[in-house]
Amino acid sequence: MPQETIFSKIIRREIPANIVYQDDQVTAFRDINPQAPTHILLVPNKLIPTVNDVTAEDEQMLGRLFTVARRIAEQEGIAESGYRLLINCNRDGGQEVFHLHMHLVGGRPLGPMLKRA
Ligand code: 5GP
């Protein structure tokens, strides 16, 4: 069984978070350390540690992440100006919390996708 992270507690509302959306499959809440005026994490309610652990069974829920992201971007008023969706995987991807999540970042020009090393 994969190890739970703090995100499971947020999903179950056992610890506080600024939750902006929740349904039976996905929970979205504001990042505690925002990198831009809008920085929201979209998290499957099911504990999937990394992208490496997704299966065909998860395809419908993964699609839900995108439709929820689209709706939240509209609510945040950044749909037209633009935003970035990103998912980090494992060490080189910079993943810190091992419960799969999509970052929705926007509200300012985000610049190039990757910093040069
Ligand atoms: P990762 O690097 O794993 O893709 O991103 C993890 C993100 O989770 C980071 O942006 C970090 O600021 C955020 N984060 C970590 N712990 C918490 C928490 O307890 N609450 C919230 N709202 N965000 C968190």
Side-chain angles (χ1 to χ4, degrees), residues 20-106:
V20 297
Y21 177 87
Q22 188 165 45
D23 64 25
D24 59 323
Q25 292 187 310
V26 173
T27 301
F29 51 89
R30 293 190 193 279
D31 197 292
I32 203 165
N33 182 24
Q35 304 299 308
T38 292
H39 188 169
I40 291 169
L41 303 173
L42 292 94
V43 184
N45 295 341
K46 173 184 169 186
L47 172 48
I48 301 170
T50 80
V51 173
N52 292 337
D53 302 299
V54 301
T55 67
E57 215 175 79
D58 302 316
E59 286 174 3
Q60 191 267 336
M61 176 278 294
L62 294 169
R64 177 77 61 89
L65 284 183
F66 279 88
T67 54
V68 171
R70 194 210 75 208
R71 291 219 304 263
I72 293 174
E74 283 167 6
Q75 280 165 21
E76 293 286 307
I78 59 172
E80 294 310 317
S81 54
Y83 54 94
R84 187 169 290 160
L85 300 175
L86 61 94
I87 299 176
N88 297 321
C89 181
N90 277 343
R91 185 187 58 241
D92 283 0
Q95 186 173 4
E96 289 175 359
V97 178
F98 286 84
H99 185 141
L100 191 148
H101 51 281
M102 177 188 275
H103 297 252
L104 189 170
V105 187

